Amino acid sequence: MKKVFSSNYDAIHTFAQRTHPEGCNQSRSVFFEGDKIYSYGYHYLLGEFLDSDTILINDEGYSNSTSKHISILMGATSHYKQYYKTKVDVDYIYTHVFNYLKPKLAKARKPQKYTNEIFSLWNSLNGYITERKETKTRRRKEYKQLLKFVDILQDDNTLESLREWAKKEKEKKQRKEKRTLKEKLNKFYKYEIDFFRIGGIDYLRRSKDGQYIETSQGVKIDIDEARRYYNLLSSGANMRGKRISNFITKSFDNLLTIGCHNISKEEINTISKLL
């Protein structure tokens, strides 16, 4: 029996016909075994027949090629009952709601867009549980937390509470970032680490041997080159397009932006004393 098919289309449609126990395309970027079909390896289950009339399609595609495989599978199995992972998988829905939709909702001027999506996901999840008799799902902590969140969204005061939550989360994140920055900077200046980046800002130090200026992104600039650049900078010259080593200056407004580096004026003033 034929196992290797000439295209993605042929391999996926053969899987959908359920006439072959296994098969793949020529590059094996799509392959199936029994009731399961995969895209680029066992790590991505593209689809699975739940019974002779029903398929669960993993539409959480993260690449253009896998998205194409998903599209072909959707068309090839259109005569079956189709479920989609992003609409019925409690783990996916839980993560999407609490890591993406809830923060968006907390900052939204027009919250209905996000509440509608949350309610839609909740309804599709429960429809799947009922139709497939997946009653164990309702006992999972993820399901119970989703239920609690959907319930509180019925309250008119919820949005204000969410905004307060978002404010506290932002402050908590900033405090943690500040502590981490202090720790990393201390290690960087002691030459215990050579690379870190927090908040999109970069820092400078003089190398142990005194021959270079080193950035917190691990870049080394010859000390004479650094002096030349600093003298030009302090003269008030227009720095846009000026080069230092292999990096080109983009701007010098609130920050000095050179290549992928953003350096504060305070940091420049500090390092100038070591040049």
Side-chain angles (χ1 to χ4, degrees), residues 21 64 83 132 157 190 255 273:
N64 289 335
Y83 290 110
R132 299 296 303 173
N157 296 320
K190 289 182 176 180
L255 295 172
K273 299 171 185 177

Side-chain angles (χ1 to χ4, degrees), residues 2 27 40 47 50 73 83 94 101 109 114 131 135 151 156 177 184-185 214-215 223 232 239 249 257 274:
K2 186 176 181 179
S27 64
Y40 290 101
L50 303 178
L73 183 61
Y83 290 110
Y94 176 89
L101 294 176
R109 293 183 179 179
Y114 300 105
E131 291 169 11
T135 54
D151 280 346
D156 293 337
E177 191 174 274
K184 295 288 186 182
L185 265 176
E214 299 173 333
T215 79
I223 193 76
L232 186 62
M239 299 303 293
T249 307
T257 303
L274 302 177

Side-chain angles (χ1 to χ4, degrees), residues 191-202:
Y191 303 98
E192 293 176 5
I193 60 173
D194 298 322
F195 181 93
F196 76 94
R197 203 165 201 238
I198 297 173
I201 303 298
D202 301 291

Side-chain angles (χ1 to χ4, degrees), residues 208-226:
K208 275 187 174 183
D209 62 9
Q211 298 301 305
Y212 302 94
I213 295 299
E214 299 173 333
T215 79
S216 53
Q217 288 200 61
V219 172
K220 291 184 177 184
I221 303 294
D222 183 85
I223 193 76
D224 292 333
E225 175 74 357

Side-chain angles (χ1 to χ4, degrees), residues 141-156:
K141 65 177 182 179
E142 292 84 2
Y143 180 89
K144 291 177 181 179
Q145 289 179 21
L146 283 167
L147 172 60
K148 183 178 179 181
F149 186 56
V150 169
D151 280 346
I152 67 171
L153 285 180
Q154 317 295 328
D155 189 331
D156 293 337

Side-chain angles (χ1 to χ4, degrees), residues 21 58 64 74 95 107 130:
N58 183 357
N64 289 335
M74 286 178 177
T95 300
K107 297 184 288 186
T130 301

